[in-house]
Amino acid sequence: PSGHLYQITTRPTGALHRVIIELCCESDSRLGDEEVNGGGCLVVRVTAANDLTSKATVEELVNLVNDFKAQRIPVLLWASIPCTAGTRWTDVNWNCGTEECRAQLTAHIELYKKLFHSLRVVAKRVEGDGVHYAIEWPQTCKYWHHLAVRQFKARYKLQSYTFHGCMYGVTTAKG
């Protein structure tokens, strides 16, 4: 065990040129594959098991990013915060679903709020040259319209890009 509240998944074989910190990703995220990100890239993952809502995890991330900033190594914070309650089906499920369904949706919304708050805290404490941000949500995710997200996009000058997995050979198991 590393003793850290995150996992280092890919260490560069040569000199370190950049860092990707995946927030709220799966333990087998393809973004962390060395074949995908090329040489010179250190990939750090923060999964659900590492709990981004924890103050200790947030503090450790801030320290990690600031260490790389001090070395002038660019860092990308890639946020894959779950968008379960931000889909188009949320309204249908809320209106036609059971009380249990509505309770689950409410829990998903609360988790999104906590995770996004943690992202905002980290971003505010590490902002500056060499730190970049990406949020991975579907184009139609309702969260894009939330005030906190719009403010985050404006503050850190995020731009929207739309692409579909099939453009990059990502398909279901059945093709």
Side-chain angles (χ1 to χ4, degrees), residues 68-155:
F68 288 121
K69 277 180 58 178
Q71 299 173 58
R72 299 193 181 285
I73 298 171
V75 176
L76 171 63
L77 289 166
W78 182 280
S80 299
I81 295 171
C83 62
T84 308
T87 69
R88 292 179 179 183
W89 281 98
T90 302
D91 293 333
V92 173
N93 290 330
W94 186 270
N95 292 323
C96 300
T98 64
E99 285 301 319
E100 181 181 351
C101 178
R102 285 187 279 284
Q104 287 176 339
L105 287 170
T106 300
H108 285 300
I109 292 167
E110 292 305 313
L111 177 61
Y112 143 74
K113 287 178 180 178
K114 289 176 184 176
L115 292 168
F116 197 77
H117 173 76
S118 292
L119 172 62
R120 290 172 62 196
V121 169
V122 171
K124 186 172 184 178
R125 292 187 53 202
V126 302
E127 69 183 304
D129 292 341
V131 182
H132 309 278
Y133 311 91
I135 301 173
E136 176 189 359
W137 283 330
Q139 179 182 6
T140 59
C141 180
K142 295 171 133 198
Y143 299 161
W144 290 119
H145 303 289
H146 289 191
L147 179 61
V149 175
R150 292 193 329 262
Q151 290 172 336
F152 187 90
K153 283 181 65 179
R155 179 175 184 146

